[in-house]
């Protein structure tokens, strides 16, 4: 390994699989995930859930979040939590450094944790419980966490809980017996794979962090990496690690497409090819054959073009005036929060209803309180309001 690092003038291995916050790449989706988690801590809300397929960066995102926490926040970090409620309480208490006897009952464990939380609140400290791979939690343990999240003073919660998991966690949270827990989730965020441009930036970023930004990677190599990884962080790392090794063995300081294909072959990765690709192309052609006549029929019978229809659907545009603004599923302050908007975010305003606006931000549609949204001059693109506030609504 030392010879490999020296050959490429690396100070560190740029594509090792273990999460390292020094190599954390701030893509747009990971920035939004970080902001969403930080919102939970700042606002004192009860639950946050981060969902993502394996390799999308859940663990490194939460570790980046933890590395930025102030000393006024204490946390328990639970990994691989296939735990009963009693085992969960024990794991949390032990992570907080609280000694417990082997024969203590679940009620006593709950009481000890409650006393710990009250003590920390008196010390003006916030407390988090973070559960990684939370899809492995039994239903009864998730329900106990909901009960635990009910602990509060007259003014605020004693505890915030962050769950990270694979899509199975979302399916579990949709179970009827967990509907009360789901109602308490104030932040729900889905991580996605990187786009191709983000993938290129990600690779170059990690090479630079490792100490050598001059390694040349052919365009065909980038294309092959994206084709076989689909932008998944973990798969990108695996391919790049072995592609660099292939170049090292060939005594080359750049990455060619053949290096990527060698890496892909050694990893046993697959993509659409052969009959599968022909089958997909056939389906697409069939769709086109069926869709084109319908398209032209609709086109000839429309009063306005698609562009006009879009403009008609958007009453006007606006922007978020306050530091953070909750986007809710329904026009109600009690409705589920589906996204947290940031100050300055541009919005398409679709509909108004009393004190609420239905807005679209990127591909997300929901309701916000209209008094925290300012108008944008469509011609000049100038934000008219100067009343920029710093609270969360």
């Amino acid at each position: 390994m030392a010879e490999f690092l020296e050959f490429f003038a690396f100070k560190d291995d740029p594509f090792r699989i273990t999460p390292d916050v020094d190599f954390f790449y701030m893509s747009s989706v990971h920035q939004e995930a970080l902001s969403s988690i930080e919102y939970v801590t700042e606002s004192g809300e009860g639950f946050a859930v981060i969902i993502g397929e394996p390799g999308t960066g859940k663990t490194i995102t939460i570790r980046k979040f933890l590395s930025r926490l102030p000393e006024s926040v204490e946390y328990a970090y639970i990994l691989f939590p296939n735990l009963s409620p009693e085992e969960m309480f024990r794991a949390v208490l032990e992570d907080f450094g609280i000694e417990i006897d082997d024969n203590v009952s679940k009620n006593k464990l709950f009481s000890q944790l409650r006393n710990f939380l009250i003590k920390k609140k008196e010390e003006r400290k916030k407390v988090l419980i973070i559960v990684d791979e939370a899809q492995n939690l039994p239903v009864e343990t998730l329900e106990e966490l909901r009960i635990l999240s009910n602990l509060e003073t007259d003014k605020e919660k004693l505890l915030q809980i962050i769950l990270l998991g694979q899509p199975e966690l979302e399916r579990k949270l949709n179970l009827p017996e967990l509907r009360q827990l789901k109602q308490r989730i104030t932040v729900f965020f889905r991580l996605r794979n990187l786009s191709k441009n983000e993938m290129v930036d990600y690779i170059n970023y990690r090479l630079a962090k490792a100490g050598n930004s001059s390694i040349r990677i052919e365009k065909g190599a980038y294309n092959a990496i994206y084709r076989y990884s689909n932008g998944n962080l973990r798969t990108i790392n695996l391919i790049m690690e072995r592609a660099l090794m292939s170049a090292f063995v060939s005594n080359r300081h750049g990455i060619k497409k053949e290096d990527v294909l060698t890496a892909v072959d050694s990893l046993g990765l697959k993509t659409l090819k052969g009959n599968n690709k022909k089958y997909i192309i056939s389906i697409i052609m069939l769709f086109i054959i069926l869709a084109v006549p319908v398209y032209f029929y609709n086109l000839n019978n429309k009063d306005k073009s698609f562009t006009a229809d879009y403009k008609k659907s958007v009453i006007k545009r606006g922007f978020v005036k306050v530091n953070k603004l909750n986007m809710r599923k329904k026009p109600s302050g009690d409705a589920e929060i589906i996204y947290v908007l940031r100050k300055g975010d541009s919005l398409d305003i679709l509909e108004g209803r009393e004190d609420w606006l239905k807005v679209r931000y990127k591909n997300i549609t929901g309701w916000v309180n209209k008094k925290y949204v300012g108008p944008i001059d469509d011609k000049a693109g100038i934000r008219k309001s100067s009343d920029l506030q710093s609270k969360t609504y």
Side-chain angles (χ1 to χ4, degrees):
M1 175 60 74
E3 188 178 352
F4 168 80
L5 296 178
E6 184 179 350
F7 179 80
F8 287 108
F10 288 144
K11 295 177 293 185
D12 205 347
D13 183 356
F15 296 103
R16 63 173 174 269
I17 303 303
T18 53
D20 184 345
V21 294
D22 289 337
F23 282 82
F24 180 76
Y25 170 70
M26 191 75 80
S27 73
S28 58
V29 69
H30 293 92
Q31 168 122 37
E32 290 181 24
L34 262 181
S35 298
S36 298
I37 302 170
E38 288 170 349
Y39 166 77
V40 172
T41 310
E42 294 169 7
S43 66
E45 297 285 355
F47 265 95
V49 174
I50 307 293
I51 298 290
E53 293 284 354
T56 50
K58 297 183 297 296
T59 299
I60 195 170
T61 299
I62 198 66
R63 291 190 180 179
K64 182 67 175 180
F65 162 74
L66 294 176
S67 73
R68 292 160 56 159
L69 282 178
E71 293 183 358
S72 59
V73 180
E74 295 192 19
Y75 65 89
Y77 185 36
I78 310 301
L79 190 59
F80 304 120
N82 189 11
L83 305 172
S84 68
E86 183 175 338
E87 290 170 334
M88 173 60 76
F89 285 144
R90 286 183 177 276
V92 169
L93 288 166
E94 287 172 0
D95 217 44
F96 282 127
I98 301 171
E99 295 185 6
I100 48 178
D101 297 329
D102 292 339
N103 57 351
V104 174
S105 67
K106 187 181 81 171
N107 288 339
K108 181 64 176 176
L109 292 170
F110 185 91
S111 177
Q112 283 183 279
L113 183 54
R114 180 191 59 206
N115 293 339
F116 169 79
L117 295 174
I118 292 172
K119 180 175 180 290
K120 291 303 171 183
K121 185 60 66 176
E122 291 171 349
E123 295 173 0
R124 298 182 179 275
K125 290 189 173 182
K126 293 185 176 182
V127 180
L128 303 176
I129 293 178
I130 300 156
V131 185
D132 206 345
E133 301 296 344
Q135 73 276 358
N136 296 322
L137 283 172
V139 170
E140 57 270 23
T141 304
L142 283 166
E143 177 61 12
E144 286 288 346
L145 285 176
R146 179 192 68 81
I147 294 170
L148 193 60
S149 73
N150 287 338
L151 293 174
E152 56 189 11
T153 65
D154 292 338
K155 296 183 179 180
E156 57 187 327
K157 298 281 187 184
L158 292 175
L159 175 70
Q160 282 81 55
I161 298 172
I162 301 171
L163 304 179
L164 300 104
Q166 297 174 23
E168 292 84 354
L169 173 61
E170 182 175 5
R171 291 194 283 273
K172 188 171 285 188
L173 292 172
N174 284 326
L175 293 173
E177 53 266 46
L178 291 176
R179 63 185 180 278
Q180 292 186 68
L181 186 154
K182 189 175 179 182
Q183 290 170 356
R184 282 170 168 75
I185 297 172
T186 53
V187 169
F188 194 103
F189 193 89
R190 291 182 182 86
L191 284 173
R192 58 164 173 78
N193 289 340
L194 302 181
S195 68
K196 185 178 178 182
N197 287 339
E198 287 174 330
M199 181 206 74
V200 172
D201 289 342
Y202 170 77
I203 290 172
N204 293 331
Y205 171 80
R206 292 193 72 124
L207 289 171
K209 287 291 288 184
N212 189 351
S213 60
S214 64
I215 294 176
R216 185 177 179 276
I217 302 175
E218 292 182 346
K219 182 179 179 181
Y222 279 129
N223 291 339
I225 295 167
Y226 191 71
R227 184 166 69 251
Y228 285 95
S229 71
N230 196 32
N232 182 275
L233 294 175
R234 185 178 301 163
T235 310
I236 293 168
N237 287 354
L238 287 168
I239 293 174
M240 276 301 301
E241 184 178 54
R242 300 203 184 189
L244 282 167
M245 187 59 68
S246 172
F248 170 66
V249 171
S250 301
N251 198 33
R252 284 197 310 272
H253 287 85
I255 305 296
K256 294 180 174 290
K257 181 178 179 181
E258 63 192 71
D259 296 313
V260 175
L261 296 179
T262 298
V264 165
D265 186 59
S266 70
L267 291 166
L269 298 176
K270 305 284 185 188
T271 188
L272 288 175
K273 49 187 173 182
N275 291 333
N276 287 338
K277 192 170 184 179
K278 292 177 182 177
Y279 173 75
I280 296 297
I281 292 173
S282 298
I283 294 295
I284 293 171
M285 292 302 297
L286 178 61
F287 173 79
I288 291 172
I289 291 169
L290 294 173
V292 166
V294 176
Y295 169 78
F296 279 107
Y297 173 81
N298 290 334
L299 189 64
N300 291 330
N301 284 276
K302 278 186 175 182
D303 294 328
K304 297 182 179 180
S305 67
F306 171 81
T307 302
D309 285 342
Y310 173 78
K311 288 182 177 178
K312 184 179 178 182
S313 71
V314 178
I315 298 173
K316 59 182 178 180
R317 302 194 72 230
F319 78 103
V320 177
K321 297 195 296 181
V322 291
N323 193 38
K324 294 180 182 178
L325 178 61
N326 294 330
M327 183 188 290
R328 299 184 181 273
K329 193 171 185 178
K330 296 178 181 179
S332 167
D334 298 325
E336 176 187 348
I337 298 172
I338 58 175
Y339 191 73
V340 180
L341 296 161
R342 312 291 286 193
K343 183 172 68 179
D345 284 344
S346 296
L347 309 171
D348 290 334
I349 302 173
L350 308 177
E351 179 184 341
R353 187 180 302 178
E354 295 180 353
D355 294 332
W356 294 86
L357 295 173
K358 188 175 184 181
V359 300
R360 177 168 54 226
Y361 175 70
K362 296 182 179 178
N363 62 340
I364 307 169
T365 302
W367 294 85
V368 297
N369 193 307
K370 69 179 181 182
K371 66 181 178 180
Y372 304 124
V373 176
I376 289 182
D377 187 321
D378 286 333
K379 291 183 179 179
I382 298 173
R383 292 165 185 168
K384 292 180 179 178
S385 174
S386 60
D387 182 24
L388 298 179
Q389 305 172 50
S390 59
K391 297 180 182 179
T392 303
Y393 300 89

